[in-house]
PDB file of all heavy atoms in Angstrom:
ATOM      1  N   PRO A 121       7.835  13.487  32.273  1.00 43.00           N
ATOM      2  CA  PRO A 121       7.304  12.353  31.502  1.00 43.00           C
ATOM      3  C   PRO A 121       7.444  11.065  32.285  1.00 43.00           C
ATOM      4  O   PRO A 121       8.443  10.822  32.968  1.00 43.00           O
ATOM      5  CB  PRO A 121       8.168  12.353  30.237  1.00 43.00           C
ATOM      6  CG  PRO A 121       8.703  13.747  30.144  1.00 43.00           C
ATOM      7  CD  PRO A 121       8.874  14.203  31.559  1.00 43.00           C
ATOM      8  N   THR A 122       6.412  10.237  32.184  1.00 44.00           N
ATOM      9  CA  THR A 122       6.402   8.968  32.891  1.00 44.00           C
ATOM     10  C   THR A 122       6.322   7.828  31.899  1.00 44.00           C
ATOM     11  O   THR A 122       5.414   7.793  31.064  1.00 44.00           O
ATOM     12  CB  THR A 122       5.197   8.893  33.842  1.00 44.00           C
ATOM     13  OG1 THR A 122       5.259  10.001  34.737  1.00 44.00           O
ATOM     14  CG2 THR A 122       5.204   7.596  34.640  1.00 44.00           C
ATOM     15  N   SER A 123       7.234   6.908  31.981  1.00 43.00           N
ATOM     16  CA  SER A 123       7.223   5.774  31.065  1.00 43.00           C
ATOM     17  C   SER A 123       6.143   4.791  31.473  1.00 43.00           C
ATOM     18  O   SER A 123       5.989   4.472  32.643  1.00 43.00           O
ATOM     19  CB  SER A 123       8.585   5.076  31.078  1.00 43.00           C
ATOM     20  OG  SER A 123       8.555   3.948  30.242  1.00 43.00           O
ATOM     21  N   THR A 124       5.342   4.333  30.496  1.00 42.00           N
ATOM     22  CA  THR A 124       4.274   3.381  30.781  1.00 42.00           C
ATOM     23  C   THR A 124       4.407   2.105  29.980  1.00 42.00           C
ATOM     24  O   THR A 124       3.687   1.157  30.213  1.00 42.00           O
ATOM     25  CB  THR A 124       2.904   4.001  30.476  1.00 42.00           C
ATOM     26  OG1 THR A 124       2.831   4.318  29.084  1.00 42.00           O
ATOM     27  CG2 THR A 124       2.689   5.267  31.280  1.00 42.00           C
ATOM     28  N   SER A 125       5.288   2.060  29.020  1.00 39.00           N
ATOM     29  CA  SER A 125       5.437   0.840  28.226  1.00 39.00           C
ATOM     30  C   SER A 125       6.803   0.822  27.594  1.00 39.00           C
ATOM     31  O   SER A 125       7.529   1.809  27.606  1.00 39.00           O
ATOM     32  CB  SER A 125       4.353   0.760  27.148  1.00 39.00           C
ATOM     33  OG  SER A 125       4.510   1.802  26.222  1.00 39.00           O
ATOM     34  N   THR A 126       7.121  -0.293  27.020  1.00 36.00           N
ATOM     35  CA  THR A 126       8.426  -0.446  26.383  1.00 36.00           C
ATOM     36  C   THR A 126       8.412   0.169  24.989  1.00 36.00           C
ATOM     37  O   THR A 126       7.508  -0.085  24.199  1.00 36.00           O
ATOM     38  CB  THR A 126       8.792  -1.930  26.285  1.00 36.00           C
ATOM     39  OG1 THR A 126       8.794  -2.481  27.600  1.00 36.00           O
ATOM     40  CG2 THR A 126      10.170  -2.110  25.659  1.00 36.00           C
ATOM     41  N   GLN A 127       9.380   0.975  24.684  1.00 39.00           N
ATOM     42  CA  GLN A 127       9.470   1.587  23.364  1.00 39.00           C
ATOM     43  C   GLN A 127       9.727   0.534  22.297  1.00 39.00           C
ATOM     44  O   GLN A 127      10.488  -0.401  22.495  1.00 39.00           O
ATOM     45  CB  GLN A 127      10.602   2.611  23.352  1.00 39.00           C
ATOM     46  CG  GLN A 127      10.807   3.273  21.985  1.00 39.00           C
ATOM     47  CD  GLN A 127      11.881   4.330  22.064  1.00 39.00           C
ATOM     48  OE1 GLN A 127      12.236   4.758  23.151  1.00 39.00           O
ATOM     49  NE2 GLN A 127      12.396   4.746  20.936  1.00 39.00           N
ATOM     50  N   THR A 128       9.049   0.717  21.174  1.00 41.00           N
ATOM     51  CA  THR A 128       9.291  -0.176  20.052  1.00 41.00           C
ATOM     52  C   THR A 128      10.731   0.000  19.587  1.00 41.00           C
ATOM     53  O   THR A 128      11.163   1.127  19.322  1.00 41.00           O
ATOM     54  CB  THR A 128       8.335   0.148  18.888  1.00 41.00           C
ATOM     55  OG1 THR A 128       7.000   0.047  19.373  1.00 41.00           O
ATOM     56  CG2 THR A 128       8.556  -0.815  17.741  1.00 41.00           C
ATOM     57  N   PRO A 129      11.483  -1.053  19.492  1.00 43.00           N
ATOM     58  CA  PRO A 129      12.896  -0.907  19.115  1.00 43.00           C
ATOM     59  C   PRO A 129      13.051  -0.425  17.685  1.00 43.00           C
ATOM     60  O   PRO A 129      12.283  -0.768  16.805  1.00 43.00           O
ATOM     61  CB  PRO A 129      13.447  -2.335  19.279  1.00 43.00           C
ATOM     62  CG  PRO A 129      12.247  -3.216  19.152  1.00 43.00           C
ATOM     63  CD  PRO A 129      11.114  -2.443  19.739  1.00 43.00           C
ATOM     64  N   THR A 130      14.044   0.401  17.478  1.00 50.00           N
ATOM     65  CA  THR A 130      14.357   0.866  16.131  1.00 50.00           C
ATOM     66  C   THR A 130      15.146  -0.221  15.411  1.00 50.00           C
ATOM     67  O   THR A 130      16.080  -0.787  15.974  1.00 50.00           O
ATOM     68  CB  THR A 130      15.206   2.156  16.197  1.00 50.00           C
ATOM     69  OG1 THR A 130      14.461   3.149  16.901  1.00 50.00           O
ATOM     70  CG2 THR A 130      15.550   2.643  14.798  1.00 50.00           C
ATOM     71  N   PRO A 131      14.776  -0.548  14.174  1.00 49.00           N
ATOM     72  CA  PRO A 131      15.506  -1.593  13.447  1.00 49.00           C
ATOM     73  C   PRO A 131      16.997  -1.290  13.394  1.00 49.00           C
ATOM     74  O   PRO A 131      17.420  -0.147  13.248  1.00 49.00           O
ATOM     75  CB  PRO A 131      14.871  -1.544  12.056  1.00 49.00           C
ATOM     76  CG  PRO A 131      13.501  -0.975  12.281  1.00 49.00           C
ATOM     77  CD  PRO A 131      13.672   0.010  13.397  1.00 49.00           C
ATOM     78  N   ALA A 132      17.806  -2.337  13.506  1.00 62.00           N
ATOM     79  CA  ALA A 132      19.258  -2.150  13.531  1.00 62.00           C
ATOM     80  C   ALA A 132      19.801  -1.770  12.162  1.00 62.00           C
ATOM     81  O   ALA A 132      20.839  -1.128  12.060  1.00 62.00           O
ATOM     82  CB  ALA A 132      19.922  -3.434  14.029  1.00 62.00           C
ATOM     83  N   ASN A 133      19.138  -2.187  11.099  1.00 76.00           N
ATOM     84  CA  ASN A 133      19.616  -1.920   9.752  1.00 76.00           C
ATOM     85  C   ASN A 133      19.550  -0.425   9.453  1.00 76.00           C
ATOM     86  O   ASN A 133      18.460   0.152   9.424  1.00 76.00           O
ATOM     87  CB  ASN A 133      18.768  -2.704   8.748  1.00 76.00           C
ATOM     88  CG  ASN A 133      19.296  -2.572   7.330  1.00 76.00           C
ATOM     89  OD1 ASN A 133      20.256  -1.852   7.067  1.00 76.00           O
ATOM     90  ND2 ASN A 133      18.643  -3.261   6.406  1.00 76.00           N
ATOM     91  N   PRO A 134      20.674   0.246   9.234  1.00 80.00           N
ATOM     92  CA  PRO A 134      20.649   1.695   8.991  1.00 80.00           C
ATOM     93  C   PRO A 134      20.074   2.059   7.628  1.00 80.00           C
ATOM     94  O   PRO A 134      19.664   3.188   7.422  1.00 80.00           O
ATOM     95  CB  PRO A 134      22.124   2.092   9.095  1.00 80.00           C
ATOM     96  CG  PRO A 134      22.875   0.849   8.737  1.00 80.00           C
ATOM     97  CD  PRO A 134      22.043  -0.288   9.254  1.00 80.00           C
ATOM     98  N   THR A 135      20.065   1.127   6.692  1.00 85.00           N
ATOM     99  CA  THR A 135      19.498   1.395   5.371  1.00 85.00           C
ATOM    100  C   THR A 135      18.549   0.265   4.985  1.00 85.00           C
ATOM    101  O   THR A 135      18.834  -0.514   4.074  1.00 85.00           O
ATOM    102  CB  THR A 135      20.615   1.541   4.309  1.00 85.00           C
ATOM    103  OG1 THR A 135      21.425   0.342   4.324  1.00 85.00           O
ATOM    104  CG2 THR A 135      21.481   2.747   4.577  1.00 85.00           C
ATOM    105  N   PRO A 136      17.417   0.148   5.672  1.00 92.00           N
ATOM    106  CA  PRO A 136      16.512  -0.980   5.419  1.00 92.00           C
ATOM    107  C   PRO A 136      15.886  -0.949   4.028  1.00 92.00           C
ATOM    108  O   PRO A 136      15.440  -1.979   3.532  1.00 92.00           O
ATOM    109  CB  PRO A 136      15.442  -0.817   6.495  1.00 92.00           C
ATOM    110  CG  PRO A 136      15.453   0.641   6.817  1.00 92.00           C
ATOM    111  CD  PRO A 136      16.881   1.055   6.698  1.00 92.00           C
ATOM    112  N   PHE A 137      15.850   0.220   3.414  1.00 95.00           N
ATOM    113  CA  PHE A 137      15.279   0.318   2.077  1.00 95.00           C
ATOM    114  C   PHE A 137      16.323   0.090   0.983  1.00 95.00           C
ATOM    115  O   PHE A 137      15.997  -0.007  -0.195  1.00 95.00           O
ATOM    116  CB  PHE A 137      14.630   1.700   1.877  1.00 95.00           C
ATOM    117  CG  PHE A 137      13.611   2.034   2.921  1.00 95.00           C
ATOM    118  CD1 PHE A 137      13.901   2.960   3.925  1.00 95.00           C
ATOM    119  CD2 PHE A 137      12.380   1.420   2.930  1.00 95.00           C
ATOM    120  CE1 PHE A 137      12.970   3.258   4.908  1.00 95.00           C
ATOM    121  CE2 PHE A 137      11.430   1.712   3.907  1.00 95.00           C
ATOM    122  CZ  PHE A 137      11.739   2.637   4.898  1.00 95.00           C
TER     123      PHE A 137
END
Side-chain angles (χ1 to χ4, degrees):
T122 303
S123 177
T124 62
S125 65
T126 302
Q127 178 177 344
T128 303
T130 301
N133 185 357
T135 56
F137 305 106

